Amino acid sequence: MGLLRAARRPGALLTLAMTTFCACKDDQQGGGTVNGGGPVAPALAASVVREYPHDTAAFTQGLVYHDGYLFESTGRTGRSSLRQVELATGRVLRLHAVPDQYFAEGLALHAGRLYQLTWQSQVGFVYTPDDFGQTGTFTYQGEGWGLTTDGQSLILSDGSNQLRFLDPANNTVRRTLSVMDGGDFVNDLNELEWVKGEIWANVWHTERIARIDPATGKVKGWVELAGLLEPSRRPDPESVPNGIAYDAEGDRLFVTGKLWPALFEIAVPGVAGEGAAMAAETPVAPAP
Ligand SMILES: [Ca+2]
């Protein structure tokens, strides 16, 4: 996937590189395959707008942008946390240590509260973003991987191809969505983000993000992250891309990975994340 390698200097936007590939796990290297289920969705390369520092001890499982800051959920038993992070420096401004028995997972901001999942404990925590005061808990069946919201429901992934829409008022499942590309189910859905009416999902152990139609579950397109962080900068095999945050007001997209030393602002030309890139290209009017 070298042709999709992204540039690293600020404001640099690459020419669109498009290809098609199957979402199935036996086709990790891309290239179209016959699956009998209709055409697979096209892939667009992400281009790097800026690179920021990221804590290499953060096993990122959830990422949210809110009010000028990143909020991050990190996993691993005994080391799980909720963090408020300064974007420019990667500095952790506030850290809540999740009790040792939990492995923290996805994170979403819904109705002014942060919702944090745990992997296999079937309980989540609710906090106020200002001070990380815990205001409640919520429960769900099975595993918790990624979490986001469409403004009405909490949307939960569990490592399968299914997304569950939960009613935050009573924890019931409003509906379930099967995610498919062409004729193939897309398994291992992980960290989630609501971006311009689509659900974006990291796919575990891959270098790509699925852009999912929330009405049908069909993958509308893929965002290719291959080349974003070189293998030499990844401390271990689990250092895969995970973590998507969207600044809707500024149209800025942020992505990182587990234990990554960097967090990237990216743009997907014609799709999202072009706010900062556009601003950089706007000529300054001469003084009168
Ligand atoms: Ca997210």
Side-chain angles (χ1 to χ4, degrees):
M1 294 189 211
L3 79 165
L4 298 176
R5 179 174 288 271
R8 285 193 177 69
R9 61 189 170 81
L13 295 179
L14 291 184
T15 304
L16 293 190
M18 295 186 66
T19 184
T20 59
F21 49 71
C22 174
C24 43
K25 291 194 75 176
D26 58 359
D27 186 38
Q28 299 293 337
Q29 298 307 310
T33 58
V34 176
N35 60 14
V40 294
L44 293 173
S47 58
V48 174
V49 179
R50 284 186 191 85
E51 179 176 333
Y52 298 103
H54 179 246
D55 180 3
T56 54
F59 197 78
T60 308
Q61 301 286 31
L63 196 66
V64 167
Y65 178 89
H66 170 60
D67 212 12
Y69 298 97
L70 292 167
F71 292 84
E72 186 168 7
S73 172
T74 72
R76 292 193 157 167
T77 305
R79 282 179 281 177
S80 293
S81 69
L82 173 66
R83 298 151 175 240
Q84 181 178 3
V85 178
E86 187 173 62
L87 172 63
T89 63
R91 196 158 59 98
V92 178
L93 302 177
R94 188 187 303 277
L95 187 145
H96 166 75
V98 172
D100 284 353
Q101 65 267 38
Y102 299 109
F103 189 122
E105 289 276 348
L107 185 71
L109 182 77
H110 176 82
R113 293 286 186 273
L114 287 165
Y115 288 74
Q116 183 181 39
L117 293 177
T118 60
W119 180 23
Q120 295 175 315
S121 301
Q122 304 191 351
V123 64
F125 306 109
V126 188
Y127 311 90
T128 49
D130 295 347
D131 58 5
F132 290 178
Q134 189 177 320
T135 61
T137 60
F138 62 105
T139 58
Y140 45 91
Q141 299 292 310
E143 297 193 354
W145 284 40
L147 196 68
T148 191
T149 177
D150 60 4
Q152 305 297 320
S153 302
L154 290 169
I155 304 169
L156 178 147
S157 70
D158 59 11
S160 72
N161 56 65
Q162 307 268 309
L163 295 175
R164 278 177 272 168
F165 289 65
L166 306 178
D167 184 341
N170 56 21
N171 304 331
T172 57
V173 178
R174 285 176 163 151
R175 68 184 176 106
T176 303
L177 195 64
S178 294
V179 177
M180 299 192 79
D181 184 22
D184 294 317
F185 289 107
V186 179
N187 295 312
D188 295 318
L189 298 172
N190 205 353
E191 221 278 300
L192 303 175
E193 187 71 15
W194 184 261
V195 181
K196 292 187 168 181
E198 302 172 348
I199 302 166
W200 288 30
N202 286 114
V203 180
W204 189 48
H205 282 188
T206 76
E207 301 290 315
R208 56 180 84 128
I209 292 169
R211 295 172 44 213
I212 301 160
D213 182 332
T216 64
K218 285 188 174 180
V219 175
K220 298 170 68 176
W222 294 91
V223 177
E224 183 57 70
L225 303 179
L228 201 60
L229 189 76
E230 303 90 333
S232 63
R233 298 177 73 192
R234 303 187 187 200
D236 77 45
E238 290 303 318
S239 297
V240 292
N242 207 38
I244 312 165
Y246 185 55
D247 166 17
E249 192 174 328
D251 188 21
R252 293 186 297 167
L253 275 167
F254 303 100
V255 298
T256 190
K258 297 173 182 177
L259 312 174
W260 280 21
L263 177 141
F264 297 92
E265 181 183 343
I266 61 167
V268 185
V271 177
E274 296 184 286
M278 291 291 200
E281 291 169 7
T282 303
V284 177

